[in-house]
């Protein structure tokens, strides 16, 4: 059995900058299926300094339920719930990280901005991995090439086996 897993998608209807309607979500899922994707993680954005956790969880779980209900008779990939969380200083010690892992696993999809790439980020990535047993995955790593420490970041990622996702 071959599994083709998409770990970063914005397919939940009307949640973030992804699919706006359930119809759009279904079209995206049908196209994924046509391309051979067997499993997909819905990873809506969470911005910790802007979003309310309870509201976010309520909205995303409801949208996920609606999407799953509407996919039952259709040929689409299996859908799981995750999150793309924006990194912030102190994230490695946050108690609520379990809400943001990919389908309740140990994997955490982290979004960055070029200005967030610094030595503190490196320390926190190692802390997540070594102390919390959380496997960070850096989302769309190709977007951060304007960061002052990009080369150092790439070397750090390679040296420490940090997982990355590329669009």
């Amino acid at each position: 059995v071959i599994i083709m897993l998409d770990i970063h998608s914005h397919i939940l209807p009307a949640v973030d900058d992804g699919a706006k309607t359930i119809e759009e979500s279904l079209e995206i899922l049908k196209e994924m299926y046509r391309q051979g994707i067997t499993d997909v993680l819905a990873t809506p954005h969470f911005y910790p300094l802007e979003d309310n956790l309870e509201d976010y969880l309520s909205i995303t779980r409801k949208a996920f339920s609606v999407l799953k209900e509407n996919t039952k008779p259709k040929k689409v990939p299996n859908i799981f719930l995750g999150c793309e969380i924006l990194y912030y200083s102190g994230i490695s010690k946050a108690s609520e990280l379990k809400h943001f892992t990919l389908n309740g696993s140990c994997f955490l999809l982290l979004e960055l901005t070029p200005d967030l790439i610094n030595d503190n980020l490196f320390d926190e990535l190692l802390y997540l991995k070594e102390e919390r047993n959380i496997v960070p995955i850096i989302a769309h790593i190709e977007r951060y090439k304007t960061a002052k420490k990009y080369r150092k970041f790439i070397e750090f990622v390679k040296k420490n086996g940090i997982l990355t996702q590329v669009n």
Side-chain angles (χ1 to χ4, degrees), residues 18-107:
K20 300 298 179 218
T21 64
I22 189 69
E23 293 79 17
E24 188 176 354
S25 297
L26 293 172
E27 284 305 311
I28 292 168
L29 287 165
K30 288 176 188 174
E31 182 58 32
M32 287 177 156
Y33 186 81
R34 282 192 286 275
Q35 293 180 19
I37 304 294
T38 59
D39 300 270
V40 60
L41 281 146
T43 52
H45 291 282
F46 181 75
Y47 300 111
L49 303 179
E50 299 171 20
D51 296 334
N52 175 281
L53 176 59
E54 289 77 23
D55 292 344
Y56 173 83
L57 293 175
S58 174
I59 290 165
T60 57
R61 288 175 180 162
K62 182 177 180 186
F64 181 69
S65 177
V66 167
L67 183 58
K68 291 282 284 184
E69 188 62 35
N70 279 275
T71 60
K72 282 185 178 174
K74 301 182 176 48
K75 288 188 174 184
V76 297
N78 298 310
I79 309 163
F80 303 95
L81 187 56
C83 175
E84 178 185 9
I85 186 170
L86 181 64
Y87 167 82
Y88 62 94
S89 182
I91 194 171
S92 65
K93 304 259 174 57
S95 61
E96 64 275 347
L97 283 182
K98 66 182 178 297
H99 296 294
F100 304 108
T101 60
L102 301 179
N103 196 44
S105 70
C106 62
F107 295 95

